[in-house]
Every structure is written in structure tokens, then in C-alpha cells.
């Protein structure tokens, strides 16, 4: 389930502030080494077509480039943070926002927003949103749904917490 820096400092006979540096550096190293192997976000039309094919084949949901949601990760409140990390569920948290493919494999992740942020507010501050808006993500051109000839844009499936779109 996890451990505290204080408990780890007793186990390894290392000061808690040193443990915190080691944990941070270790996490950064893991992310740097494995991020592109584990989380592959397509950046070409052919890459996105593979994702949309998965949604079409498995869920009969066409033109879908991913499903997005967030998960609150419980944490102890940092000193003097007030309600900054306190979420609507009644505990302190940081947030994981993830875009997944049709088999629930992460294709994009953003971690670290405070628990008090909204789904829509968190999404507004992601690289994913800016690359979608600037059309730098490599989506294919609009494509008609089966049995139709009117092209529609590709889209992300989300719940109502992300708010209405234009």
C-alpha cells in the first residue's frame, strides 16, 4: 500500500529528507527510461487509425481516438497546503488524467494536478489539449461513419465532468 518517508528512514537508516530525494530521483529515472516504451501516444494519422480501429472493432464506436478520465490518488496533505489538495470526495489527493485505447492501454497520462482541480480545468492545462487544438497531434482528416458519406471529426470519449465543448 505504500510507506512513509519516516518509516523508510528507520528501515534504511537514512534521513527522511534524503529518502524524499531518492524517491523523487528514482521516479524521474523510471519515467525517463520507460515512458516511451510503456505509453505510446500516436502522432501520425496511421497511428491514430490503429487506435480508432480498435474502438470500432471492439466497441462499435467509430472515429474514437481514446477514452479519457481521471483518478484521485490519496495522499497525506503537505504542511500548510490548506485545501489546495482537498478534493470533492473528502480527502487530499493528486490526480492522474489518462487517455486510453480500446483495450485500456495508456496512450497519454498527466499526473500531479491538485485534488481540488476539476476534470475540465485539469484537461485545459495538459499538453494533450494544446496539441489537439493546434492540430500538432497528427489526426487523420475527418472520416464518415459506416453507412454515411458525411465526414465527421475524430473525438475522445469522456464523461460529463469534462463539460460541454464547442
Amino acid at each position: 500500500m505504500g510507506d512513509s518517508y519516516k518509516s523508510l528512514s528507520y528501515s534504511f537508516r537514512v534521513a527522511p529528507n534524503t529518502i524524499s530525494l531518492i524517491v523523487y530521483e528514482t521516479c524521474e529515472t523510471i519515467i525517463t527510461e520507460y515512458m516511451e516504451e510503456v505509453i505510446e501516444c500516436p502522432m501520425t494519422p496511421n497511428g491514430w487509425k490503429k487506435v480508432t480501429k480498435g474502438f470500432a472493432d471492439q466497441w462499435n464506436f467509430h472515429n474514437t481516438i481514446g477514452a479519457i478520465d481521471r483518478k484521485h490518488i490519496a495522499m497525506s496533505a503537505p504542511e500548510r497546503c490548506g485545501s489546495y489538495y482537498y478534493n470533492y470526495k473528502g480527502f487530499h489527493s493528486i490526480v492522474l488524467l489518462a487517455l486510453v485505447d480500446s483495450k485500456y492501454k495508456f496512450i497519454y497520462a498527466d499526473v500531479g494536478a491538485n485534488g481540488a482541480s476539476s476534470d475540465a480545468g485539469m484537461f485545459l492545462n495538459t499538453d494533450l489539449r494544446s496539441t489537439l487544438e493546434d492540430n500538432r497531434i497528427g489526426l487523420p482528416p475527418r472520416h464518415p461513419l459506416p453507412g454515411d458519406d458525411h465526414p465527421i471529426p475524430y473525438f475522445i470519449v469522456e464523461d460529463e465532468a469534462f463539460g460541454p465543448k464547442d
Side-chain angles (χ1 to χ4, degrees), residues 19-54:
I19 293 281
S20 71
L21 293 173
I22 292 168
V23 169
Y24 178 81
E25 289 174 13
T26 302
C27 290
E28 285 294 315
T29 302
I30 290 169
I31 290 167
T32 301
E33 183 64 31
Y34 293 108
M35 178 68 104
E36 290 186 19
E37 281 179 46
V38 177
I39 300 177
E40 293 182 55
C41 187
M43 295 300 282
T44 65
N46 285 340
W48 286 112
K49 284 180 182 179
K50 288 178 187 174
V51 174
T52 62
K53 182 174 177 7

Side-chain angles (χ1 to χ4, degrees), residues 131-143:
T131 58
L132 284 166
E133 282 188 359
D134 298 346
N135 203 19
R136 292 178 287 132
I137 203 157
L139 290 179
R142 294 172 178 238
H143 185 33

Side-chain angles (χ1 to χ4, degrees), residues 34-42 47-48 50-52 54-55 58-59 64-69 96-110 128 156:
Y34 293 108
M35 178 68 104
E36 290 186 19
E37 281 179 46
V38 177
I39 300 177
E40 293 182 55
C41 187
W48 286 112
K50 288 178 187 174
V51 174
T52 62
F55 277 99
Q58 186 167 350
W59 302 104
T64 305
I65 63 167
I68 194 168
D69 208 352
L96 161 69
L97 177 93
L99 180 70
V100 298
D101 68 12
S102 63
K103 295 184 179 173
Y104 312 110
K105 182 178 183 247
F106 282 43
I107 54 179
Y108 175 84
D110 186 284
L128 178 62
I156 295 172

Side-chain angles (χ1 to χ4, degrees), residues 109-144:
D110 186 284
V111 182
N114 67 68
S117 62
S118 68
D119 289 8
M122 183 178 176
F123 179 71
L124 286 174
N125 293 315
T126 64
D127 293 335
L128 178 62
R129 184 210 46 92
S130 62
T131 58
L132 284 166
E133 282 188 359
D134 298 346
N135 203 19
R136 292 178 287 132
I137 203 157
L139 290 179
R142 294 172 178 238
H143 185 33

